[in-house]
């Protein structure tokens, strides 16, 4: 049985960039719903219920046919959101320093270029999905996925992720996804992002 992880900060901690009501609904309703549906799908699959979410998502094609979609959608939803909460926080500087800064400069030339490319991936994701910074075979790349598809299901390691489903921003930003993305850069917790870099 999977359960909802607590946020590492209060629901209003990301104000004014992400409002309290959005955070509360996103965490207690949307994230919880992915977990409930994942648990329901695995209820009579005792061999699967003990696996970690990473194991389930890494080998979706090896799972029984009747749970593959549920693991992809709801398992992905659980994994992606659990990561997303960790990668944000109050009181951030808006700019990476140290190892993560060096890694971004190596891969993208400078932070401004990285930020522009990531923003482009997030704005350009048609419909619901995520923008990602991933490690792919030892190289940092920017990508995006539809729905709740998780990079680890295609052999990539997520380093940074941004939820661009409308439920992540609609109450405060309505249809203005680019404004939400601009605001979000202020609350990226770069120390947490850095921890996801491969050693
Ligand atoms: Mn979401």
């Amino acid at each position: 049985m999977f359960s909802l992880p607590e946020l590492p900060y209060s629901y209003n901690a990301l104000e004014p960039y992400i409002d309290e009501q959005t955070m509360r609904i996103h965490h207690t309703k949307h994230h919880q719903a992915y977990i409930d549906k994942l648990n329901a799908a695995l209820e009579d699959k005792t061999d699967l219920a003990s696996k970690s979410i990473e194991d389930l998502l890494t080998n979706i094609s090896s799972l029984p046919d009747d749970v593959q979609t549920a693991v992809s959608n709801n398992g992905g939803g659980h994994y992606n959101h659990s990561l997303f909460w960790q990668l944000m926080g109050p009181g951030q500087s808006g700019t990476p320093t140290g190892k993560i800064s060096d890694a971004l400069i190596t891969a993208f030339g400078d932070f401004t270029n990285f930020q522009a490319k990531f923003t482009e991936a997030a704005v350009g994701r048609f419909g619901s999905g995520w923008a990602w910074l991933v490690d792919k075979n030892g190289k940092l790349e920017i990508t995006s996925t539809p729905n709740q598809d998780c990079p680890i299901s295609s052999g990539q390691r997520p380093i940074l992720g941004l939820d661009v489903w409308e439920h992540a921003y609609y109450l405060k930003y309505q249809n203005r996804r680019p404004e939400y993305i601009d605001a979000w850069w202020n609350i990226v917790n770069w120390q947490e992002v850095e921890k996801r870099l491969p050693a």
Side-chain angles (χ1 to χ4, degrees):
M1 289 283 280
F2 294 98
S3 58
L4 187 67
E6 274 191 40
L7 289 187
Y9 37 77
S10 60
Y11 287 113
N12 65 4
L14 304 182
E15 296 261 13
Y17 307 107
I18 303 182
D19 59 289
E20 176 175 357
Q21 193 187 8
T22 296
M23 287 301 296
R24 196 178 287 281
I25 295 171
H26 201 171
H27 183 246
T28 64
K29 304 293 184 194
H30 292 276
H31 190 173
Q32 183 70 60
Y34 295 121
I35 292 167
D36 292 345
K37 288 175 190 164
L38 177 65
N39 285 334
L42 300 179
E43 202 171 10
D44 52 358
K45 314 273 185 194
T46 45
D47 51 327
L48 297 182
S50 60
K51 285 185 185 278
S52 71
I53 190 64
E54 288 84 359
D55 281 350
L56 290 170
L57 287 167
T58 302
N59 298 300
I60 291 180
S61 61
S62 70
L63 301 175
D65 287 349
D66 62 340
V67 299
Q68 289 186 11
T69 302
V71 168
S72 183
N73 290 344
N74 300 300
H78 175 40
Y79 180 94
N80 294 343
H81 286 87
S82 299
L83 177 64
F84 186 51
W85 310 135
Q86 297 290 328
L87 299 178
M88 299 186 289
Q92 303 300 319
S93 71
T95 333
T97 54
K99 250 175 58 184
I100 180 67
S101 173
D102 295 345
L104 293 175
I105 289 168
T106 301
F108 303 100
D110 57 45
F111 177 65
T112 308
N113 185 49
F114 159 74
Q115 202 172 25
K117 292 256 163 60
F118 189 98
T119 296
E120 191 180 293
V123 172
R125 175 76 255 167
F126 182 75
S128 298
W130 293 72
W132 300 99
L133 172 69
V134 297
D135 176 83
K136 186 180 178 185
N137 305 320
K139 197 168 169 286
L140 292 186
E141 288 185 11
I142 291 165
T143 186
S144 72
T145 58
N147 306 313
Q148 294 296 349
D149 291 7
C150 182
I152 63 174
S153 303
S154 45
Q156 301 167 353
R157 174 192 175 100
I159 311 291
L160 175 64
L162 171 59
D163 188 344
V164 293
W165 283 58
E166 282 189 343
H167 68 226
Y169 61 86
Y170 202 85
L171 290 178
K172 184 176 171 77
Y173 297 99
Q174 292 81 52
N175 61 330
R176 303 187 303 278
R177 185 190 289 185
E179 265 184 48
Y180 156 69
I181 297 166
D182 278 354
W184 173 78
W185 288 111
N186 291 289
I187 46 172
V188 175
N189 183 337
W190 289 106
Q191 277 160 336
E192 284 295 321
V193 178
E194 182 173 289
K195 287 184 192 168
R196 274 75 188 175
L197 284 175

